[in-house]
Amino acid sequence: QVQLQESGPGLVKPSETLSLTCTVSGGSISGYYWSWIRQPPGKGLEWIGYIYYSGDTNYNPSLKSRVTISVDTSKNQFSLKLSSVTAADTAVYYCAKGGWELVAWGQGTLVTVSS
Amino acid sequence: EIVLTQSPGTLSLSPGERATLSCRASQSVSSSYLAWYQQKPGQAPRLLIYGASRRATGIPDRFSGSGSGTDFTLTISRLEPEDFAVYYCQQYGSSPPTFGQGTKVEIK
């Protein structure tokens, strides 16, 4: 069964770039879509975007100008970069398998934006 | 984008009772591309239902989904202690995929 694990800094300064990586184990990243979703503390879920293993992407229009999702099939990883962050970007960030229905999720990682 | 409104916000029930959760979309969800997720405190969401009515792998048959167009329902036939959690609906028929605000099922 596929497992996903997010990694990256838990604290990012305002105006800087948030960078997270999701490592996929127990299965190949090839042939599938992979997504990022976030959840501000105590709030609901927001879809950030997805990437196909070939590199095709689709982003939430509300974040599109600041988001880049990339994939490294040789490492079985995909990554998220979110630029020009503010306190409103403080959230638990999840990676997941799937571009539409999300069939498996990482445990999530809290990223706090603060100086 | 499609806005999903879940009701009620909180459902207070006892173990063994039936839970009925509603998800209403601001416009028709194409091809019934609607999913339901369960989230427990401190955990990631877990896919329960996709395609409006198809149970995900390993999901007990006490969970069922129904509906089409703009109105969808998640039913838990008999609540088990482990079912008390927050439930989210998600549409993925049009981009961007969107989630409802969640329904909390709590122990009465």
Side-chain angles (χ1 to χ4, degrees):
Chain A
Q1 185 173 354
V2 69
Q3 294 186 315
L4 300 93
Q5 178 68 58
E6 304 89 352
S7 59
L11 181 64
V12 180
K13 290 182 168 55
S15 80
E16 295 190 343
T17 296
L18 177 160
S19 295
L20 296 173
T21 295
C22 183
T23 300
V24 178
S25 58
S28 175
I29 206 168
S30 296
Y32 298 96
Y33 288 87
W34 304 90
S35 293
W36 287 98
I37 306 96
R38 69 180 183 178
Q39 184 173 36
K43 296 188 178 181
L45 300 161
E46 180 180 31
W47 177 78
I48 298 171
Y50 70 61
I51 190 163
Y52 192 46
Y53 79 102
S54 62
D56 292 341
T57 56
N58 185 21
Y59 300 139
N60 192 321
S62 68
L63 298 169
K64 188 174 184 177
S65 63
R66 300 194 290 131
V67 170
T68 302
I69 299 176
S70 59
V71 64
D72 186 337
T73 55
S74 67
K75 295 182 178 179
N76 237 31
Q77 294 177 333
F78 62 106
S79 298
L80 169 70
K81 291 188 185 298
L82 182 65
S83 64
S84 306
V85 297
T86 69
D89 295 310
T90 293
V92 175
Y93 285 76
Y94 296 101
C95 59
K97 180 181 180 181
W100 304 109
E101 69 269 28
L102 303 165
V103 300
W105 296 60
Q107 65 185 27
T109 187
L110 174 63
V111 179
T112 301
V113 178
S114 176
S115 56
Chain B
E1 70 178 42
I2 295 179
V3 176
L4 299 179
T5 302
Q6 293 186 240
S7 60
T10 302
L11 199 51
S12 298
L13 295 168
S14 300
E17 290 193 294
R18 181 184 187 90
T20 303
L21 288 66
S22 174
C23 177
R24 178 162 290 178
S26 60
Q27 53 190 280
S28 184
V29 177
S30 65
S31 303
S32 294
Y33 286 146
L34 187 112
W36 291 92
Y37 300 85
Q38 176 194 69
Q39 187 177 34
K40 297 179 181 179
Q43 296 185 17
R46 176 176 69 144
L47 178 66
L48 300 175
I49 300 288
Y50 66 97
S53 61
R54 300 180 180 184
R55 272 188 301 276
T57 302
I59 301 304
D61 60 7
R62 64 179 181 273
F63 291 92
S64 63
S66 63
S68 64
T70 61
D71 290 297
F72 298 87
T73 300
L74 174 69
T75 301
I76 311 171
S77 59
R78 295 172 308 280
L79 283 164
E80 297 288 342
E82 62 268 27
D83 298 337
F84 291 92
V86 179
Y87 293 83
Y88 293 95
C89 58
Q90 177 216 11
Q91 71 78 25
Y92 51 98
S94 66
S95 189
T98 51
F99 294 88
Q101 83 280 16
T103 289
K104 182 179 182 180
V105 179
E106 65 176 22
I107 299 176
K108 186 174 182 180

